[in-house]
Amino acid sequence: MSFWGQLNLMDPASWIQSEMILFHDHALTLLVGIFFFVALMGVKLLTNRMSCRTFFEAQQLETIWTVIPALLLILLALPSMRLLYLLDENFSSKVILKATGHQWYWSYEVPALNVESFDSYMIPTNELAAGDSRLLEVDNRVTLPYNVNTMVMTTSADVLHAWTIPSLGVKMDSVPGRLNSMMTNFLLPGVYYGQCSEICGANHSFMPIVVQAVNI
């Protein structure tokens, strides 16, 4: 989970989040490089006193400043497309987690582990134990195996919700009458927190998601 004063992204808990962080660093490197280059050229143009009234065109220069940005866009587009295809990749999964959004709680079901449907409500602030995180703890956590391909399927019983765990790189809309799915794999055991990321009503901020990855 994230902490106050944290400047970087959360540590990845799945391989897809690792790929997202790599793409973030790749894109940020290109953007920072372009920013400093444009800033340097702007300063040089402002401080340059040379001028030529007979200079009307520079085909070579125009070709260069057209080709280089095109190459930079390709360097940005190819990893982006690769990541999009990875997000939609479906691997053979032994475990399926079904998450259903309600106003304002989640219900879960894990058939492969013989876990029947149960509800997961946020623990009120006045009932938190020592060390618990406010607005993030729930009464019933989802328990899943780590280092096992897991398919998360989500839907909604009423309005639009979004099942989101940032450290896993998972964010899916929960749409009434529709199933959305995404593959994930917990790299390490631990407790992972998330929240509904679609404004779903008055108590939208009070339906957290907690998944515990263990060795089963």
Side-chain angles (χ1 to χ4, degrees):
M1 62 182 293
S2 57
F3 298 95
W4 292 107
Q6 180 174 326
L7 298 178
N8 205 351
L9 300 173
M10 284 188 283
D11 293 335
S14 67
W15 63 270
I16 193 65
Q17 178 64 5
S18 301
E19 293 288 340
M20 289 182 180
I21 291 177
L22 287 174
F23 176 70
H24 166 268
D25 296 342
H26 171 74
L28 193 62
T29 301
L30 288 177
L31 293 176
V32 170
I34 292 170
F35 172 79
F36 279 108
F37 175 76
V38 173
L40 177 63
M41 294 301 296
V43 170
K44 289 185 72 67
L45 287 173
L46 289 174
T47 57
N48 189 0
R49 297 182 179 180
M50 298 178 62
S51 63
C52 180
R53 295 183 179 182
T54 60
F55 189 74
F56 293 107
E57 62 178 356
Q59 297 290 344
Q60 212 171 20
L61 182 61
E62 290 180 4
T63 302
I64 291 173
W65 72 37
T66 301
V67 171
I68 291 180
L71 293 176
L72 291 175
L73 287 175
I74 292 174
L75 287 175
L76 194 62
L78 292 180
S80 176
M81 293 182 64
R82 173 179 175 272
L83 185 58
L84 284 174
Y85 278 102
L86 287 176
L87 286 171
D88 290 333
E89 193 75 27
N90 284 325
F91 302 97
S92 59
S93 58
K94 298 180 180 179
V95 178
I96 297 177
L97 167 67
K98 182 181 178 182
T100 305
H102 303 266
Q103 289 181 313
W104 287 272
Y105 64 95
W106 294 94
S107 61
Y108 298 100
E109 185 178 348
V110 191
L113 302 179
N114 297 320
V115 177
E116 298 181 355
S117 181
F118 66 92
D119 298 332
S120 180
Y121 289 87
M122 187 192 76
I123 299 177
T125 303
N126 58 352
E127 298 179 13
L128 290 174
D132 287 346
S133 300
R134 177 177 170 271
L135 301 182
L136 287 178
E137 297 293 345
V138 296
D139 54 359
N140 292 313
R141 293 177 174 177
V142 182
T143 301
L144 294 173
Y146 81 96
N147 204 22
V148 173
N149 288 335
T150 301
M151 175 178 285
V152 181
M153 304 178 69
T154 182
T155 186
S156 173
D158 35 53
V159 299
L160 285 175
H161 300 278
W163 200 83
T164 305
I165 298 183
S167 58
L168 287 180
V170 174
K171 182 177 182 180
M172 290 185 294
D173 283 339
S174 302
V175 183
R178 177 176 175 178
L179 280 176
N180 287 330
S181 63
M182 186 174 176
M183 296 296 302
T184 188
N185 189 317
F186 296 89
L187 298 178
L188 297 169
V191 179
Y192 303 100
Y193 294 90
Q195 289 177 303
C196 177
S197 298
E198 187 76 43
I199 297 178
C200 55
N203 291 331
H204 159 68
S205 301
F206 305 103
M207 49 183 303
I209 302 161
V210 183
V211 177
Q212 186 171 3
V214 297
N215 186 13
I216 297 180

